[in-house]
């Protein structure tokens, strides 16, 4: 299945969080890479800085493994790529796989990227358009632009839907003034 769901340049996934419908859960996972150059690993991939990046150091496919301690609902995967900065290091073909562990991963999305510049939002849904539940996500870089060998990925974010409260339905507090007082003390 080929999907490209690229947002306009500068469309930050944090805008999704501000709506109150999703939250970033990457910090709850254990991240590993197939390879990396020293100083260009998971820390740079997750540091919220678009100037830093993970750089692979080996043969393709280059892998990013995201493992959760329990089965987790995942709605969207956001990847930041910048062809102008990274040129031949920029991924051109990516496979997204999910499963319980390394031994039963199944591809659910394959993306063809043409000179990407900005955040790429990848919906992770089942055949009924519901968010998937998984223990593991694997992002495989299958090819780079200009037949590049190693790859750069600048940021990856993982989002889960925010569940409705069982106490009752309250209006979403999305303005900064309301967000200051949204928790009960």
């Amino acid at each position: 299945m080929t999907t490209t769901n690229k947002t306009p340049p500068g469309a930050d996934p944090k805008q999704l969080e501000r709506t109150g419908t999703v939250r970033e859960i990457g910090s709850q996972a254990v991240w590993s890479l197939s390879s990396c150059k020293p100083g260009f690993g998971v820390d740079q991939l997750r540091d919220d800085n678009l100037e830093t990046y993970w750089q692979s150091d080996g043969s393709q496919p280059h892998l990013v493994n995201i493992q959760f301690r329990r089965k987790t609902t995942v709605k969207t995967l956001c990847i930041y790529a910048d062809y102008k900065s990274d040129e031949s290091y920029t991924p051109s073909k990516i496979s997204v796989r999910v499963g319980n562990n390394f031994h039963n991963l199944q591809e659910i999305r394959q993306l063809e990227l043409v000179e990407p510049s900005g955040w790429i939002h990848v919906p992770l849904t089942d055949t009924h358009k519901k968010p998937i539940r998984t223990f593991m996500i694997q992002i495989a870089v299958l090819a780079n632009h200009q037949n590049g060998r190693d790859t750069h990925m600048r940021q990856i974010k993982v989002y889960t839907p925010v569940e409705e409260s069982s106490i009752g339905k309250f209006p979403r507090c999305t303005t900064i003034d309301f967000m200051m007082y949204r928790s009960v003390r």
Side-chain angles (χ1 to χ4, degrees), residues 30-50:
V30 176
W31 292 66
S32 62
L33 305 168
S34 56
S35 66
C36 69
K37 297 260 188 206
F40 296 92
V42 172
D43 291 340
Q44 289 70 33
L45 192 57
R46 296 283 304 151
D47 66 2
D48 285 326
N49 182 351
L50 299 178

Side-chain angles (χ1 to χ4, degrees), residues 113-185:
L113 306 175
V114 180
E115 298 185 7
S117 177
W119 287 99
I120 299 144
H121 293 238
V122 184
L124 299 182
T125 54
D126 62 16
T127 55
H128 304 291
K129 301 294 183 196
K130 292 188 177 186
I132 60 159
R133 289 190 44 80
T134 188
F135 280 102
M136 182 175 180
I137 301 169
Q138 184 179 74
I139 303 165
V141 177
L142 305 176
N144 289 327
H145 283 78
Q146 303 170 9
N147 295 319
R149 183 175 154 244
D150 288 328
T151 198
H152 285 181
M153 275 199 193
R154 293 187 172 265
Q155 292 291 299
I156 298 175
K157 303 286 182 190
V158 183
Y159 289 95
T160 189
V162 173
E163 295 180 14
E164 294 288 333
S165 170
S166 61
I167 298 171
K169 293 187 178 181
F170 296 103
R172 299 237 184 256
C173 300
T174 56
T175 65
I176 294 172
D177 292 333
F178 279 118
M179 290 178 96
M180 291 187 326
Y181 303 104
R182 69 179 174 184
S183 65
V184 179
R185 296 178 194 255

Side-chain angles (χ1 to χ4, degrees), residues 4 8 17 26 33 38 44 50 52 61 63 70-71 80-81 90 101 108 111-112 120 135 137 139 147 155 179:
T4 55
E17 285 186 83
L33 305 168
Q44 289 70 33
L50 299 178
T52 62
L63 306 174
R70 63 179 74 109
K71 202 166 202 176
Y80 190 87
T90 309
N101 55 51
I108 60 167
L111 297 97
E112 299 280 342
I120 299 144
F135 280 102
I137 301 169
I139 303 165
N147 295 319
Q155 292 291 299
M179 290 178 96

Side-chain angles (χ1 to χ4, degrees), residues 70-91:
R70 63 179 74 109
K71 202 166 202 176
T72 303
T73 303
V74 181
K75 181 178 183 175
T76 307
L77 185 67
C78 295
I79 302 169
Y80 190 87
D82 188 0
Y83 179 77
K84 288 181 182 173
S85 297
D86 298 327
E87 295 180 346
S88 67
Y89 290 92
T90 309

